[in-house]
Amino acid sequence: MAADAARIVLLVESAYRGDASRVGWTTEADLLDGQRTDLDAVCEMIADENTELLLAEGDGRLLACCLLRREGAVAWFGLFSVLPALQRSGLGSRLMSAAEAHAGAGMGALEIRMTVIDCRAELIAWYERRGYNRTGEKLPFPYRDPRYGIPRRDDLQFEVMIKPLRDTAG
């Protein structure tokens, strides 16, 4: 999987940063400049025994990815990226369903959690349609850490969303 790290970084950057990300609907280009992730961070994720990366490939290309990190009965979902030209094709929904099933049956999680930048209304609505609930819990955006991007606004924060996995755990 470590050989995939550079491909994962390229995919994530294409889905969230710069003009290339504007082809899709998940872009954060109006909110953040700079990087979304880097090779060191992805290699660290791959090496973490509590983290699994799921990849969707086709025609020798990486098309989509996501991360699941186990913390007890909770699976944290993140790094969700789909090649911009394939967004709205259903690939992201299929990958998310596979991740939820794996979190429940494969990792023994009872719920899945994620954080979303709280001003991303369209993205939050998409997750709500998939059964995720806003918790109202807010986490600060790491403004002083350029590894997460360079904010273009001063009001960014994360909101925790949660979904019970009873239906997918078995």
Side-chain angles (χ1 to χ4, degrees):
M1 178 67 90
D4 292 316
R7 295 186 324 142
I8 292 168
V9 171
L10 289 173
L11 172 65
V12 171
E13 294 301 309
S14 76
Y16 291 98
R17 296 291 195 273
D19 288 336
S21 70
R22 294 182 191 281
V23 172
W25 68 277
T26 62
T27 184
E28 295 173 345
D30 293 328
L31 302 174
L32 297 152
D33 292 321
Q35 68 182 35
R36 178 65 153 62
T37 193
D38 60 30
L39 193 57
D40 289 342
V42 173
C43 287
E44 192 175 299
M45 291 171 201
I46 291 169
D48 183 346
E49 67 183 27
N50 293 312
T51 298
E52 296 185 41
L53 287 159
L54 283 67
L55 308 179
E57 298 177 289
D59 298 326
R61 298 183 310 155
L62 180 58
L63 307 176
C65 69
C66 67
L67 166 148
L68 291 169
R69 188 180 77 245
R70 184 180 50 243
E71 287 184 12
V74 174
W76 283 90
F77 179 82
L79 207 66
F80 188 33
S81 304
V82 176
L83 202 62
L86 295 177
Q87 292 177 14
R88 297 189 194 275
S89 71
L91 176 60
S93 291
R94 291 190 302 276
L95 180 59
M96 182 168 243
S97 291
E100 291 166 353
H102 181 68
M107 299 174 91
L110 300 177
E111 63 186 33
I112 193 164
R113 293 182 184 209
M114 70 176 76
T115 58
V116 181
I117 296 174
D118 70 346
C119 63
R120 306 236 15 236
E122 184 179 9
L123 184 57
I124 289 171
W126 188 83
Y127 287 128
E128 287 177 321
R129 290 191 299 275
R130 293 200 47 85
Y132 288 80
N133 297 302
R134 298 176 83 161
T135 64
E137 179 184 354
K138 307 287 181 157
L139 302 173
F141 187 87
Y143 275 93
R144 298 187 192 282
D145 192 342
R147 292 178 303 165
Y148 299 97
I150 301 165
R152 301 179 82 183
R153 301 168 46 157
D154 63 1
D155 64 342
L156 300 179
Q157 59 184 345
F158 295 109
E159 181 166 358
V160 176
M161 296 187 76
I162 188 170
K163 180 178 181 178
L165 291 176
R166 289 183 291 278
D167 295 333
T168 59

